[in-house]
Amino acid sequence: MATHEFDKEYWERHWQQGPAGRPASMGGNPPNPYLMRETGGLTPGTALDAGCGSGAEAIWLASCGWRVTAADISSEALARAAERAATSGAPESVRWVEADLGSWHPDAQFDLVMTHYAHPAMPQLEFYDRIAGWVAPGGTLLIVGHLHVSGPTGHGHHPPAEASATSEAVTARLDGTKWEIATAEEHLRTLTGRGSRAVPLHDVVVRATRRP
């Protein structure tokens, strides 16, 4: 079975192709609903959006008072995100960073580290391990990813197996002596695709607090 190489070339091509045929959330998308639900009660501080894409989540966090570093491997995605921020009247508290999250190291830890459907060129669970290390003591890790389900993969919005996970697999990586799990859920929601076609999206959502 063919699999994707989620490298810079892949993601530049992905964003240059535009949102045609993809769910509406890929282009001028509103912020992910899990982000609003899971972070609404947090005190704003510093945040990292790991794999920020077109920037909806980073911009929303900034509007709530967070100081956001938004990182993505694709220069095309970052250009779209910066344009969106400029035209939306978003606060100037988002720093856009072009970075390969498999090798990049931030210069500080963050009060919140989040990722939404990011697929790096490294094993998915190892990516989650990596970004978890960037959470400051007392801070929050929010992972929103594609749920690993059986059946044909790599078509539409059903990603290949290596780009998906389960809530159990994610939480198993978080040492209970170091992390307190607040949310570990799996959901099915529906987005609107091309031609108003309903597109099912299987999600895994994990939120954890790093113990001080």
Side-chain angles (χ1 to χ4, degrees), residues 109-133:
Q109 292 181 311
F110 300 87
D111 300 313
L112 169 65
V113 173
M114 63 179 185
T115 187
H116 296 81
Y117 311 118
H119 307 323
M122 65 185 298
Q124 195 70 31
L125 292 174
E126 291 182 18
F127 170 64
Y128 294 152
D129 293 343
R130 181 173 172 77
I131 66 171

Side-chain angles (χ1 to χ4, degrees), residues 117-195:
Y117 311 118
H119 307 323
M122 65 185 298
Q124 195 70 31
L125 292 174
E126 291 182 18
F127 170 64
Y128 294 152
D129 293 343
R130 181 173 172 77
I131 66 171
W134 301 339
V135 179
T140 298
L141 173 68
L142 175 62
I143 292 171
V144 178
H146 291 297
L147 175 64
H148 181 65
V149 294
S150 59
T153 61
H155 302 284
H157 224 60
H158 191 170
E162 70 271 20
S164 60
T166 64
S167 60
E168 182 179 8
V170 175
T171 57
R173 316 282 288 213
L174 300 173
D175 185 341
T177 66
K178 299 178 180 178
W179 294 92
E180 180 179 352
I181 307 299
T183 301
E185 299 174 349
E186 297 172 354
H187 297 279
L188 171 62
R189 62 190 179 105
T190 302
L191 302 180
T192 302
R194 189 176 185 180

Side-chain angles (χ1 to χ4, degrees), residues 3-211:
T3 58
H4 294 301
E5 291 291 338
F6 293 111
D7 55 10
K8 181 174 177 62
E9 180 181 358
Y10 170 86
W11 285 113
E12 294 292 11
R13 184 171 64 251
H14 173 89
W15 284 102
Q16 288 166 3
Q17 288 172 348
R22 301 190 194 125
S25 66
M26 287 299 296
N29 52 321
N32 188 283
Y34 305 120
L35 170 66
M36 295 182 278
R37 186 191 72 181
E38 297 293 334
T39 65
L42 300 179
T43 300
T46 59
L48 171 69
D49 188 357
C52 64
S54 60
E57 289 74 31
I59 292 169
W60 182 83
L61 272 186
S63 73
C64 295
W66 291 83
R67 301 182 302 282
V68 185
T69 298
D72 201 282
I73 197 171
S74 168
S75 60
E76 179 70 21
L78 290 169
R80 293 190 185 197
E83 180 180 2
R84 177 174 182 159
T87 58
S88 67
E92 296 182 2
S93 52
V94 181
R95 180 170 67 103
W96 306 104
V97 178
E98 183 177 337
D100 181 344
L101 295 170
S103 57
W104 177 71
H105 294 276
D107 54 12
Q109 292 181 311
F110 300 87
D111 300 313
L112 169 65
V113 173
M114 63 179 185
T115 187
H116 296 81
Y117 311 118
H119 307 323
M122 65 185 298
Q124 195 70 31
L125 292 174
E126 291 182 18
F127 170 64
Y128 294 152
D129 293 343
R130 181 173 172 77
I131 66 171
W134 301 339
V135 179
T140 298
L141 173 68
L142 175 62
I143 292 171
V144 178
H146 291 297
L147 175 64
H148 181 65
V149 294
S150 59
T153 61
H155 302 284
H157 224 60
H158 191 170
E162 70 271 20
S164 60
T166 64
S167 60
E168 182 179 8
V170 175
T171 57
R173 316 282 288 213
L174 300 173
D175 185 341
T177 66
K178 299 178 180 178
W179 294 92
E180 180 179 352
I181 307 299
T183 301
E185 299 174 349
E186 297 172 354
H187 297 279
L188 171 62
R189 62 190 179 105
T190 302
L191 302 180
T192 302
R194 189 176 185 180
S196 299
R197 179 173 59 92
V199 179
L201 190 62
H202 298 267
D203 296 322
V204 56
V205 183
V206 173
R207 176 168 60 93
T209 302
R210 184 172 181 178
R211 301 183 189 278

